[in-house]
Amino acid sequence: MQTTAVPHAKLRLSQANVRTIARDAGLEALAASIAEHGLLQPLVVTPAKGRKALYDVHAGGRRWRAIGLLIERGLWPSDRLVDVCLLTIGEASPREISLAENILREAMAPADEARAYRDVMGEGANAAAVARRFGVTVRHVEGRLRLADLAPPIFAALAEGTITLDIAMAYGATADHARQLAVWQRLADTWQGDNPQAIRRALATDVLASDHPVALFLGEAEYEACGGRVERDLFSEAGRGSWLDVDLAYDLALRKLTHEADVAALGSRLAWVRPCLATYLSHRETAGLEIYWPDHADPTPEALARISVIDARMQELADCLDACPDGSEGALYEQEYDSLVAERERLQRSAPIIPDSDRPHVGTFLLLDSAGRPQLLDMYYRTPAEDPAGLDDDSDGSSAMAVEESAGAAAGGTSPIASGYSRALEEQLAKDRRDVLAFRLAGEPDLALDLAMFVLACCVAKPGHLAATGCTIRLCDAGDPKGLGKLPPSHAAQALASHAAGLPRSWSESEDAFQSFQAFRALDWAERLSWLALAVGCGLTASLASGAHERPFHTQLGAMIGIAVADVWRPTAEGFFDRLRKAQILDVLREIDPELPARHSASNKAELAGFAARLCAGETIVEAEVRQRALAWVPSVLAFAAAPCAPSDGAPLEQDGEAPAQAA
């Protein structure tokens, strides 16, 4: 093999080259490198058969293409000679040379590349110059430099191949060596040590992401103007970063939101509007408060006219969704449909009517949406009459608690998950779930007695617990949501009514209250307990497992009893499926059997709702496994799936003063 030089025009790619697929990836970078540094490695060629003036390139095809690219752009003289190694016949087969060139070549290790960039930068070059010389982006150079600046143990692990590039990049999300090493020592020997996302979450525990609602609400400019520090992540999209001074950010944001809440209170003429630096309302915020359900004025003629237009458009969209349930066009229809549903509900509810006698005690909360915009909560709360400011002994610093919970959610906590149903359907489901719990509680008189005594004791010892229990122990107003439609009673409501009809009522026939009381006392102990259990159950407020009607106490109570909602509640067409969009019904069918949506996607919404209702009632002919899943399906917001509460140190006592035996 001898070294010589020939013009680029006399070179052509060999037919024996093993790389037959031409890839443009990296070609620009290679051309930039050749333009800056020249051809560092000659091409391997042989004389072309039958064409004495041409040479076949067996190794270095990409270098040959890169030079051709430079010639097209006028960056390489067309008559400039290209260094080549001329392979003589008999030394090795052309295909063997090509195979060795492409298989034995090894890409540069990221650690070596990082060191090299750092050394070049040390000689006086900047990132832009290095990027131009080697045909890479400035961001790529800066990213490799961040790798070179990793804490020594982590960089050593990358160089040795102990960790991958993705893991090293995760540690490079911060330039703080102390935080890198703290997470490295904590996660290195665990399964999370190989999970880049887990590493990033661990590094972000004490920082605030720039896309967090609090950060979006405050704004980076205002935060930095007050001395806040932002750490940029070179491996993420431009404009992202981590806010290091979390306490400062929350303090500034809370002051700003408090001002917004004061303005909102003046505009709404409410007694109070409390700021809450969170995207949802926590139960701590509502401790000691009662939900206030105001009456609403009748819609104005203009609102009624708009509702009529909305109804017509919603029907058009429903027809369009039936025709194309999937795809981007269907998504646009669904988005418009949802916005119209929200607008219709606002118009229908109209302005709240709050009597002057109630107004000094009624208020609401100012929250943040996911984009950091202040949103006045569409729900009202009432404070005790003796506490017009709405602040009891336990609630000073409630905003701070909201900040703490919001920060916890940012660090990996969970927030209440929206059901995706309309507000009217959510309210109906909340009442249905209450009826399920009430019916089961009516069959647990011992538990109902305990609950009744607990609630009555709370009235004296701990009033703040009353709102959390969601149990009024009075039948004058169970706190049902307003505006429920006139729908047939649910299975749970029918079961509760049937249970009530089976209790003895002769004691209530007297017109004299005291005689009725005497008759009631004459009932058997079990009969009196049954009436007590019924009353306790009917005093429960409407609740769901998540969303605006979330009541964890109910969820834990139902889980402790072991309630299976499907035993006493089934989704009907009129009460449930008719009130969903077609795509939502198909999602339910997909949960039951992944093949069902394809079979019924051509059905219109009314047909689909009827089929879904019959399927969940066990009235269709399907496979046994599918029928079993359908009979057990209920919306997740109705489920009672919380873990049972841990038993307390002291066991309750029976009437004779002895502790009851544990249930088997």
Side-chain angles (χ1 to χ4, degrees), residues 434-449 451 492 495-500 503 526-538 540 557 561 563 568:
R434 188 276 311 275
D435 291 340
V436 171
L437 183 58
F439 170 68
R440 184 57 187 273
L441 198 59
E444 300 278 347
D446 291 339
L447 177 62
L449 179 59
L451 181 58
L496 184 62
S498 177
H499 178 84
L503 297 180
E527 292 174 335
R528 280 180 283 159
L529 279 181
S530 295
W531 273 107
L532 173 62
L534 177 65
V536 171
C538 291
L540 294 169
L557 189 65
I561 302 173
I563 291 180
V568 286

Side-chain angles (χ1 to χ4, degrees), residues 180-199:
Q180 289 178 4
L181 289 175
V183 174
W184 169 262
Q185 293 167 1
R186 188 168 77 248
L187 302 184
D189 295 328
T190 70
W191 66 268
Q192 293 178 314
D194 295 329
N195 187 330
Q197 293 303 321
I199 295 170

Side-chain angles (χ1 to χ4, degrees), residues 314-604:
M314 286 174 64
Q315 184 58 51
E316 293 176 1
L317 292 173
D319 294 339
C320 294
L321 285 169
D322 288 345
C324 58
D326 300 320
S328 58
E329 189 176 9
L332 292 176
Y333 289 147
E334 284 197 10
Q335 184 177 359
E336 183 181 356
Y337 189 95
D338 290 342
S339 65
L340 290 176
V341 168
E343 182 183 357
R344 192 184 192 284
E345 290 184 354
R346 288 195 303 269
L347 292 171
Q348 200 167 30
R349 292 178 66 84
S350 188
I353 299 176
I354 303 177
D356 292 339
S357 58
D358 290 344
R359 192 168 289 277
H361 316 296
V362 176
T364 187
F365 293 84
L366 186 66
L367 309 176
L368 298 177
D369 66 8
S370 58
R373 296 177 296 234
Q375 298 288 329
L376 205 61
L377 186 66
D378 189 20
M379 181 172 287
Y380 302 94
Y381 292 85
R382 191 180 192 281
T383 57
E386 66 273 13
D387 187 13
L391 297 175
D392 56 31
D393 294 338
D394 295 329
S395 62
D396 58 336
S398 58
S399 296
M401 285 187 286
V403 170
E404 179 182 346
E405 292 195 2
S406 179
T414 58
S415 301
I417 301 173
S419 66
Y421 304 138
S422 68
R423 177 168 180 167
L425 179 54
E426 267 200 353
E427 291 177 347
Q428 178 65 47
L429 292 177
K431 179 181 178 300
D432 290 347
R433 187 174 187 260
R434 188 276 311 275
D435 291 340
V436 171
L437 183 58
F439 170 68
R440 184 57 187 273
L441 198 59
E444 300 278 347
D446 291 339
L447 177 62
L449 179 59
D450 289 341
L451 181 58
M453 291 189 293
F454 169 72
V455 173
L456 292 175
C458 284
C459 293
V460 178
K462 194 69 173 179
H465 280 342
L466 294 177
T469 63
C471 190
T472 59
I473 310 297
R474 53 189 170 87
L475 301 181
C476 56
D477 181 10
D480 284 349
K482 304 296 183 183
L484 293 176
K486 296 185 179 298
L487 296 172
S490 66
H491 291 73
Q494 293 174 355
L496 184 62
S498 177
H499 178 84
L503 297 180
R505 294 178 177 270
S506 58
W507 59 270
S508 63
E509 294 174 356
S510 175
E511 297 296 330
D512 184 270
F514 188 74
Q515 289 182 5
S516 292
F517 172 61
Q518 293 286 51
F520 184 81
R521 292 192 67 195
L523 295 176
D524 292 340
W525 173 248
E527 292 174 335
R528 280 180 283 159
L529 279 181
S530 295
W531 273 107
L532 173 62
L534 177 65
V536 171
C538 291
L540 294 169
T541 56
S543 69
L544 292 174
S546 64
H549 295 279
E550 181 182 15
R551 188 77 68 176
F553 186 94
H554 285 187
T555 301
Q556 293 166 354
L557 189 65
M560 183 177 70
I561 302 173
I563 291 180
V565 177
D567 292 344
V568 286
W569 184 92
R570 301 309 303 137
T572 63
E574 192 172 12
F576 183 74
F577 287 113
D578 283 346
R579 305 166 76 179
L580 300 182
R581 300 189 305 273
K582 181 177 179 180
Q584 290 178 301
I585 302 175
L586 290 172
D587 287 340
V588 174
L589 297 182
R590 187 174 293 107
E591 290 184 40
I592 297 172
D593 182 4
E595 296 183 1
L596 287 177
R599 299 178 191 172
H600 299 276
S601 59
S603 303
N604 60 43

Side-chain angles (χ1 to χ4, degrees), residues 4 200 212 602 615:
T4 184
R200 291 180 186 275
H212 187 274
L615 175 67

Side-chain angles (χ1 to χ4, degrees), residues 87-102:
L87 181 69
T88 59
I89 302 301
E91 291 187 66
S93 71
R95 187 166 294 274
E96 181 180 342
I97 293 294
S98 177
L99 188 62
E101 166 79 8
N102 288 282

Side-chain angles (χ1 to χ4, degrees), residues 647-648 650-652 654 659-664:
S648 59
E654 296 286 357
Q662 294 294 324

